[in-house]
Amino acid sequence: MERKPLFQKWKTGLGKTRTGLLARLFASKDGINEAFYEELEEALILADAGAGVTERLLDELQAVIKEQKISDRAGARKALAGLIAKAVTTQKPFSADTGEAVVLIVGVNGVGKTTSIGKLANSYREQGRKIMLAAADTFRAAAAEQLGEWAKRADVAMVRHNEGADPAAVVFDAIASYKAKGCDLLLCDTAGRLHNKANLMNELGKIRRVIARELPDTPCETLLVLDAVTGQNAVAQARAFAEVCQLDGVILTKLDGTAKGGVVISICETLKVPVRFVGVGEGIDDLQPFNAELFAEALLGNDAD
Ligand SMILES: Nc1nc2c(ncn2[C@@H]2O[C@H](COP(=O)(O)OP(=O)(O)OP(=O)(O)O)[C@@H](O)[C@H]2O)c(=O)[nH]1
Ligand SMILES: [Mg+2]
């Protein structure tokens, strides 16, 4: 019952990827021949699944096709969707979904950190959670104002300091307010930069230490926000972040504006961390919890649903 609208959103969100080579390839009535594998390889590379992932998926698909004696492209699509879903599935639930949690949002400039926090705050508030936002991006002018706008729209509380303040001090005060108000989810915005690794490491390390000290029994996850439009560069960015801080998951934004949806597979495979949410637009409702099966089906352009 609920599946249809969500699936529609995914289909719209993955619009550019879907109407591309992958969808056309599987819609073809031709059988499974040499050209099929060649075109599939090209389509997966163009969707930014990455060379290594593409090669492995093709090998696995070939084995399944042989084993199950699949002879048409609809069957191949189903088999590939299963393989892709398996590659991007995580068994570990998102900590905020299982109880009280702190979520630290990191990522380079302009990827959609603040927007994603606004969407997350709204969605979890709608689910009955009590949210506190920490405006720990004290680096960029107007960053706190921007988060403040989202706090207003999402109808949640926020703690901020002045520009240039210590981000860890903002988080410290946000935790005090979080405790006083009886909140159960703290979302922390951070400054978007990676140009100075030592600084970033210090800043994030300090924030995590404050959280560990002030909320020792609350799980804390760091989510890296990546812009899907940047394709394989997003994977490189993720590697760079993984070098300086602990990463627990990814939010992949702007999936609505790119034909590079395959990058999801690449991120899961290379980083070994789950994609938790995907951004499919600029509106407050345009953030979806990541669903492996729906993603795989939408990516391959399954219009049967
Ligand atoms: N189309 C689309 N646009 C998005 C999405 N997520 C964010 N944006 C847009 O991306 C732009 C940057 O978003 P911000 O949330 O300010 O990004 P940020 O990472 O906080 O940026 P800095 O704080 O400057 O590092 C805004 O114009 C957002 O509306 C998405 O899923 N789809
Ligand atoms: Mg921001």
Side-chain angles (χ1 to χ4, degrees), residues 178-205:
Y178 168 98
K179 287 177 180 169
K181 286 184 158 55
C183 295
D184 56 17
L185 180 58
L186 174 64
L187 304 173
C188 308
D189 197 10
T190 63
R193 59 205 150 105
L194 185 60
H195 58 262
N196 187 332
K197 282 192 184 186
N199 259 356
L200 183 79
M201 192 156 45
N202 284 342
E203 185 174 308
L204 295 178

PDB file of all heavy atoms in Angstrom, residues 178-205:
ATOM      1  N   TYR A 178      19.518  20.375  25.283  1.00  0.00           N
ATOM      2  CA  TYR A 178      18.924  19.082  24.912  1.00  0.00           C
ATOM      3  C   TYR A 178      18.477  18.331  26.169  1.00  0.00           C
ATOM      4  O   TYR A 178      17.350  17.832  26.258  1.00  0.00           O
ATOM      5  CB  TYR A 178      19.995  18.309  24.140  1.00  0.00           C
ATOM      6  CG  TYR A 178      19.787  16.842  23.861  1.00  0.00           C
ATOM      7  CD1 TYR A 178      19.295  16.410  22.624  1.00  0.00           C
ATOM      8  CD2 TYR A 178      20.137  15.871  24.806  1.00  0.00           C
ATOM      9  CE1 TYR A 178      19.149  15.064  22.351  1.00  0.00           C
ATOM     10  CE2 TYR A 178      19.997  14.525  24.537  1.00  0.00           C
ATOM     11  CZ  TYR A 178      19.501  14.123  23.298  1.00  0.00           C
ATOM     12  OH  TYR A 178      19.355  12.787  23.024  1.00  0.00           O
ATOM     13  N   LYS A 179      19.362  18.313  27.179  1.00  0.00           N
ATOM     14  CA  LYS A 179      19.030  17.619  28.434  1.00  0.00           C
ATOM     15  C   LYS A 179      17.907  18.344  29.167  1.00  0.00           C
ATOM     16  O   LYS A 179      16.962  17.720  29.648  1.00  0.00           O
ATOM     17  CB  LYS A 179      20.266  17.553  29.344  1.00  0.00           C
ATOM     18  CG  LYS A 179      21.328  16.569  28.875  1.00  0.00           C
ATOM     19  CD  LYS A 179      22.530  16.642  29.826  1.00  0.00           C
ATOM     20  CE  LYS A 179      23.624  15.675  29.411  1.00  0.00           C
ATOM     21  NZ  LYS A 179      24.872  15.929  30.151  1.00  0.00           N
ATOM     22  N   ALA A 180      18.027  19.677  29.233  1.00  0.00           N
ATOM     23  CA  ALA A 180      17.035  20.467  29.969  1.00  0.00           C
ATOM     24  C   ALA A 180      15.641  20.311  29.372  1.00  0.00           C
ATOM     25  O   ALA A 180      14.645  20.283  30.084  1.00  0.00           O
ATOM     26  CB  ALA A 180      17.451  21.932  29.971  1.00  0.00           C
ATOM     27  N   LYS A 181      15.582  20.194  28.041  1.00  0.00           N
ATOM     28  CA  LYS A 181      14.289  20.110  27.369  1.00  0.00           C
ATOM     29  C   LYS A 181      13.792  18.674  27.208  1.00  0.00           C
ATOM     30  O   LYS A 181      12.705  18.458  26.675  1.00  0.00           O
ATOM     31  CB  LYS A 181      14.396  20.749  25.974  1.00  0.00           C
ATOM     32  CG  LYS A 181      14.469  22.267  25.983  1.00  0.00           C
ATOM     33  CD  LYS A 181      14.483  22.758  24.522  1.00  0.00           C
ATOM     34  CE  LYS A 181      14.042  24.169  24.309  1.00  0.00           C
ATOM     35  NZ  LYS A 181      14.668  25.226  25.019  1.00  0.00           N
ATOM     36  N   GLY A 182      14.610  17.716  27.611  1.00  0.00           N
ATOM     37  CA  GLY A 182      14.204  16.315  27.479  1.00  0.00           C
ATOM     38  C   GLY A 182      14.141  15.856  26.026  1.00  0.00           C
ATOM     39  O   GLY A 182      13.237  15.108  25.633  1.00  0.00           O
ATOM     40  N   CYS A 183      15.081  16.300  25.214  1.00  0.00           N
ATOM     41  CA  CYS A 183      15.109  15.906  23.803  1.00  0.00           C
ATOM     42  C   CYS A 183      15.642  14.479  23.659  1.00  0.00           C
ATOM     43  O   CYS A 183      16.238  13.919  24.590  1.00  0.00           O
ATOM     44  CB  CYS A 183      15.989  16.853  22.998  1.00  0.00           C
ATOM     45  SG  CYS A 183      15.361  18.533  22.921  1.00  0.00           S
ATOM     46  N   ASP A 184      15.430  13.889  22.472  1.00  0.00           N
ATOM     47  CA  ASP A 184      15.951  12.542  22.254  1.00  0.00           C
ATOM     48  C   ASP A 184      16.706  12.400  20.932  1.00  0.00           C
ATOM     49  O   ASP A 184      17.088  11.306  20.535  1.00  0.00           O
ATOM     50  CB  ASP A 184      14.834  11.489  22.350  1.00  0.00           C
ATOM     51  CG  ASP A 184      13.688  11.746  21.398  1.00  0.00           C
ATOM     52  OD1 ASP A 184      13.871  12.528  20.448  1.00  0.00           O
ATOM     53  OD2 ASP A 184      12.608  11.175  21.608  1.00  0.00           O
ATOM     54  N   LEU A 185      16.906  13.508  20.240  1.00  0.00           N
ATOM     55  CA  LEU A 185      17.723  13.453  19.022  1.00  0.00           C
ATOM     56  C   LEU A 185      18.444  14.786  18.826  1.00  0.00           C
ATOM     57  O   LEU A 185      17.810  15.835  18.724  1.00  0.00           O
ATOM     58  CB  LEU A 185      16.837  13.133  17.797  1.00  0.00           C
ATOM     59  CG  LEU A 185      17.547  13.036  16.440  1.00  0.00           C
ATOM     60  CD1 LEU A 185      18.650  11.982  16.443  1.00  0.00           C
ATOM     61  CD2 LEU A 185      16.546  12.735  15.330  1.00  0.00           C
ATOM     62  N   LEU A 186      19.764  14.729  18.805  1.00  0.00           N
ATOM     63  CA  LEU A 186      20.582  15.933  18.605  1.00  0.00           C
ATOM     64  C   LEU A 186      21.250  15.854  17.234  1.00  0.00           C
ATOM     65  O   LEU A 186      21.969  14.893  16.941  1.00  0.00           O
ATOM     66  CB  LEU A 186      21.642  16.032  19.703  1.00  0.00           C
ATOM     67  CG  LEU A 186      22.680  17.162  19.576  1.00  0.00           C
ATOM     68  CD1 LEU A 186      22.030  18.541  19.677  1.00  0.00           C
ATOM     69  CD2 LEU A 186      23.764  17.026  20.646  1.00  0.00           C
ATOM     70  N   LEU A 187      20.978  16.855  16.402  1.00  0.00           N
ATOM     71  CA  LEU A 187      21.589  16.904  15.070  1.00  0.00           C
ATOM     72  C   LEU A 187      22.564  18.073  15.031  1.00  0.00           C
ATOM     73  O   LEU A 187      22.176  19.217  15.306  1.00  0.00           O
ATOM     74  CB  LEU A 187      20.511  17.102  13.992  1.00  0.00           C
ATOM     75  CG  LEU A 187      19.368  16.074  13.938  1.00  0.00           C
ATOM     76  CD1 LEU A 187      18.305  16.515  12.925  1.00  0.00           C
ATOM     77  CD2 LEU A 187      19.905  14.693  13.565  1.00  0.00           C
ATOM     78  N   CYS A 188      23.834  17.799  14.705  1.00  0.00           N
ATOM     79  CA  CYS A 188      24.852  18.854  14.705  1.00  0.00           C
ATOM     80  C   CYS A 188      25.322  19.178  13.297  1.00  0.00           C
ATOM     81  O   CYS A 188      25.832  18.314  12.587  1.00  0.00           O
ATOM     82  CB  CYS A 188      26.070  18.424  15.524  1.00  0.00           C
ATOM     83  SG  CYS A 188      25.683  17.843  17.172  1.00  0.00           S
ATOM     84  N   ASP A 189      25.173  20.436  12.907  1.00  0.00           N
ATOM     85  CA  ASP A 189      25.695  20.933  11.641  1.00  0.00           C
ATOM     86  C   ASP A 189      27.176  21.270  11.852  1.00  0.00           C
ATOM     87  O   ASP A 189      27.574  21.668  12.944  1.00  0.00           O
ATOM     88  CB  ASP A 189      24.930  22.213  11.248  1.00  0.00           C
ATOM     89  CG  ASP A 189      25.093  22.566   9.789  1.00  0.00           C
ATOM     90  OD1 ASP A 189      25.635  21.743   9.023  1.00  0.00           O
ATOM     91  OD2 ASP A 189      24.668  23.673   9.396  1.00  0.00           O
ATOM     92  N   THR A 190      27.999  21.094  10.837  1.00  0.00           N
ATOM     93  CA  THR A 190      29.412  21.477  10.962  1.00  0.00           C
ATOM     94  C   THR A 190      29.832  22.251   9.717  1.00  0.00           C
ATOM     95  O   THR A 190      29.127  22.264   8.718  1.00  0.00           O
ATOM     96  CB  THR A 190      30.347  20.247  11.116  1.00  0.00           C
ATOM     97  OG1 THR A 190      30.259  19.449   9.936  1.00  0.00           O
ATOM     98  CG2 THR A 190      29.985  19.424  12.340  1.00  0.00           C
ATOM     99  N   ALA A 191      30.997  22.883   9.821  1.00  0.00           N
ATOM    100  CA  ALA A 191      31.484  23.693   8.706  1.00  0.00           C
ATOM    101  C   ALA A 191      31.954  22.808   7.561  1.00  0.00           C
ATOM    102  O   ALA A 191      32.538  21.748   7.783  1.00  0.00           O
ATOM    103  CB  ALA A 191      32.626  24.584   9.175  1.00  0.00           C
ATOM    104  N   GLY A 192      31.711  23.286   6.331  1.00  0.00           N
ATOM    105  CA  GLY A 192      32.053  22.481   5.166  1.00  0.00           C
ATOM    106  C   GLY A 192      33.438  22.775   4.653  1.00  0.00           C
ATOM    107  O   GLY A 192      33.647  23.697   3.896  1.00  0.00           O
ATOM    108  N   ARG A 193      34.393  21.991   5.091  1.00  0.00           N
ATOM    109  CA  ARG A 193      35.738  22.196   4.536  1.00  0.00           C
ATOM    110  C   ARG A 193      36.600  20.971   4.784  1.00  0.00           C
ATOM    111  O   ARG A 193      36.411  20.211   5.715  1.00  0.00           O
ATOM    112  CB  ARG A 193      36.402  23.427   5.136  1.00  0.00           C
ATOM    113  CG  ARG A 193      36.549  23.368   6.636  1.00  0.00           C
ATOM    114  CD  ARG A 193      36.623  24.784   7.147  1.00  0.00           C
ATOM    115  NE  ARG A 193      36.070  24.850   8.489  1.00  0.00           N
ATOM    116  CZ  ARG A 193      36.811  24.968   9.577  1.00  0.00           C
ATOM    117  NH1 ARG A 193      38.105  25.013   9.488  1.00  0.00           N
ATOM    118  NH2 ARG A 193      36.258  25.037  10.757  1.00  0.00           N
ATOM    119  N   LEU A 194      37.553  20.830   3.911  1.00  0.00           N
ATOM    120  CA  LEU A 194      38.479  19.705   4.046  1.00  0.00           C
ATOM    121  C   LEU A 194      39.882  20.172   3.698  1.00  0.00           C
ATOM    122  O   LEU A 194      40.839  19.422   3.795  1.00  0.00           O
ATOM    123  CB  LEU A 194      38.035  18.568   3.099  1.00  0.00           C
ATOM    124  CG  LEU A 194      38.794  17.248   3.167  1.00  0.00           C
ATOM    125  CD1 LEU A 194      38.714  16.631   4.556  1.00  0.00           C
ATOM    126  CD2 LEU A 194      38.269  16.258   2.148  1.00  0.00           C
ATOM    127  N   HIS A 195      39.995  21.461   3.302  1.00  0.00           N
ATOM    128  CA  HIS A 195      41.293  21.942   2.823  1.00  0.00           C
ATOM    129  C   HIS A 195      42.370  21.861   3.894  1.00  0.00           C
ATOM    130  O   HIS A 195      43.542  21.757   3.601  1.00  0.00           O
ATOM    131  CB  HIS A 195      41.177  23.363   2.263  1.00  0.00           C
ATOM    132  CG  HIS A 195      40.643  24.349   3.254  1.00  0.00           C
ATOM    133  ND1 HIS A 195      39.322  24.718   3.274  1.00  0.00           N
ATOM    134  CD2 HIS A 195      41.235  25.009   4.262  1.00  0.00           C
ATOM    135  CE1 HIS A 195      39.136  25.585   4.257  1.00  0.00           C
ATOM    136  NE2 HIS A 195      40.278  25.765   4.873  1.00  0.00           N
ATOM    137  N   ASN A 196      41.934  21.918   5.146  1.00  0.00           N
ATOM    138  CA  ASN A 196      42.923  21.805   6.210  1.00  0.00           C
ATOM    139  C   ASN A 196      42.588  20.589   7.071  1.00  0.00           C
ATOM    140  O   ASN A 196      41.794  20.653   8.002  1.00  0.00           O
ATOM    141  CB  ASN A 196      42.914  23.087   7.051  1.00  0.00           C
ATOM    142  CG  ASN A 196      44.037  23.080   8.066  1.00  0.00           C
ATOM    143  OD1 ASN A 196      44.468  22.017   8.501  1.00  0.00           O
ATOM    144  ND2 ASN A 196      44.493  24.249   8.436  1.00  0.00           N
ATOM    145  N   LYS A 197      43.195  19.476   6.707  1.00  0.00           N
ATOM    146  CA  LYS A 197      42.851  18.217   7.346  1.00  0.00           C
ATOM    147  C   LYS A 197      43.102  18.223   8.846  1.00  0.00           C
ATOM    148  O   LYS A 197      42.314  17.689   9.615  1.00  0.00           O
ATOM    149  CB  LYS A 197      43.637  17.067   6.715  1.00  0.00           C
ATOM    150  CG  LYS A 197      43.070  16.613   5.395  1.00  0.00           C
ATOM    151  CD  LYS A 197      43.709  15.307   4.980  1.00  0.00           C
ATOM    152  CE  LYS A 197      43.202  14.906   3.610  1.00  0.00           C
ATOM    153  NZ  LYS A 197      43.666  13.587   3.211  1.00  0.00           N
ATOM    154  N   ALA A 198      44.234  18.830   9.246  1.00  0.00           N
ATOM    155  CA  ALA A 198      44.576  18.824  10.668  1.00  0.00           C
ATOM    156  C   ALA A 198      43.523  19.574  11.471  1.00  0.00           C
ATOM    157  O   ALA A 198      43.072  19.121  12.515  1.00  0.00           O
ATOM    158  CB  ALA A 198      45.954  19.448  10.868  1.00  0.00           C
ATOM    159  N   ASN A 199      43.099  20.731  10.937  1.00  0.00           N
ATOM    160  CA  ASN A 199      42.064  21.522  11.606  1.00  0.00           C
ATOM    161  C   ASN A 199      40.762  20.772  11.734  1.00  0.00           C
ATOM    162  O   ASN A 199      40.121  20.762  12.775  1.00  0.00           O
ATOM    163  CB  ASN A 199      41.787  22.790  10.779  1.00  0.00           C
ATOM    164  CG  ASN A 199      42.488  23.976  11.375  1.00  0.00           C
ATOM    165  OD1 ASN A 199      43.096  23.847  12.428  1.00  0.00           O
ATOM    166  ND2 ASN A 199      42.409  25.109  10.703  1.00  0.00           N
ATOM    167  N   LEU A 200      40.379  20.168  10.609  1.00  0.00           N
ATOM    168  CA  LEU A 200      39.114  19.436  10.581  1.00  0.00           C
ATOM    169  C   LEU A 200      39.135  18.305  11.597  1.00  0.00           C
ATOM    170  O   LEU A 200      38.189  18.093  12.352  1.00  0.00           O
ATOM    171  CB  LEU A 200      38.876  18.864   9.178  1.00  0.00           C
ATOM    172  CG  LEU A 200      37.556  18.135   9.024  1.00  0.00           C
ATOM    173  CD1 LEU A 200      36.413  19.115   8.835  1.00  0.00           C
ATOM    174  CD2 LEU A 200      37.600  17.171   7.852  1.00  0.00           C
ATOM    175  N   MET A 201      40.257  17.585  11.598  1.00  0.00           N
ATOM    176  CA  MET A 201      40.387  16.452  12.503  1.00  0.00           C
ATOM    177  C   MET A 201      40.283  16.933  13.953  1.00  0.00           C
ATOM    178  O   MET A 201      39.589  16.346  14.765  1.00  0.00           O
ATOM    179  CB  MET A 201      41.732  15.755  12.262  1.00  0.00           C
ATOM    180  CG  MET A 201      41.861  14.421  12.940  1.00  0.00           C
ATOM    181  SD  MET A 201      43.062  13.344  12.139  1.00  0.00           S
ATOM    182  CE  MET A 201      44.429  14.416  11.858  1.00  0.00           C
ATOM    183  N   ASN A 202      40.979  18.046  14.249  1.00  0.00           N
ATOM    184  CA  ASN A 202      40.929  18.609  15.599  1.00  0.00           C
ATOM    185  C   ASN A 202      39.511  19.008  15.981  1.00  0.00           C
ATOM    186  O   ASN A 202      39.031  18.708  17.067  1.00  0.00           O
ATOM    187  CB  ASN A 202      41.813  19.863  15.692  1.00  0.00           C
ATOM    188  CG  ASN A 202      43.270  19.472  15.766  1.00  0.00           C
ATOM    189  OD1 ASN A 202      43.588  18.323  16.079  1.00  0.00           O
ATOM    190  ND2 ASN A 202      44.144  20.414  15.453  1.00  0.00           N
ATOM    191  N   GLU A 203      38.856  19.706  15.037  1.00  0.00           N
ATOM    192  CA  GLU A 203      37.520  20.232  15.314  1.00  0.00           C
ATOM    193  C   GLU A 203      36.522  19.092  15.561  1.00  0.00           C
ATOM    194  O   GLU A 203      35.798  19.094  16.555  1.00  0.00           O
ATOM    195  CB  GLU A 203      37.083  21.081  14.118  1.00  0.00           C
ATOM    196  CG  GLU A 203      35.773  21.772  14.309  1.00  0.00           C
ATOM    197  CD  GLU A 203      35.473  22.711  13.138  1.00  0.00           C
ATOM    198  OE1 GLU A 203      36.340  23.538  12.808  1.00  0.00           O
ATOM    199  OE2 GLU A 203      34.383  22.593  12.565  1.00  0.00           O
ATOM    200  N   LEU A 204      36.525  18.118  14.652  1.00  0.00           N
ATOM    201  CA  LEU A 204      35.570  17.017  14.791  1.00  0.00           C
ATOM    202  C   LEU A 204      35.907  16.141  15.999  1.00  0.00           C
ATOM    203  O   LEU A 204      35.022  15.667  16.711  1.00  0.00           O
ATOM    204  CB  LEU A 204      35.524  16.167  13.513  1.00  0.00           C
ATOM    205  CG  LEU A 204      35.001  16.888  12.269  1.00  0.00           C
ATOM    206  CD1 LEU A 204      35.051  15.981  11.051  1.00  0.00           C
ATOM    207  CD2 LEU A 204      33.578  17.397  12.493  1.00  0.00           C
ATOM    208  N   GLY A 205      37.209  15.974  16.240  1.00  0.00           N
ATOM    209  CA  GLY A 205      37.647  15.187  17.397  1.00  0.00           C
ATOM    210  C   GLY A 205      37.160  15.827  18.693  1.00  0.00           C
ATOM    211  O   GLY A 205      36.650  15.158  19.592  1.00  0.00           O
TER     212      GLY A 205
END
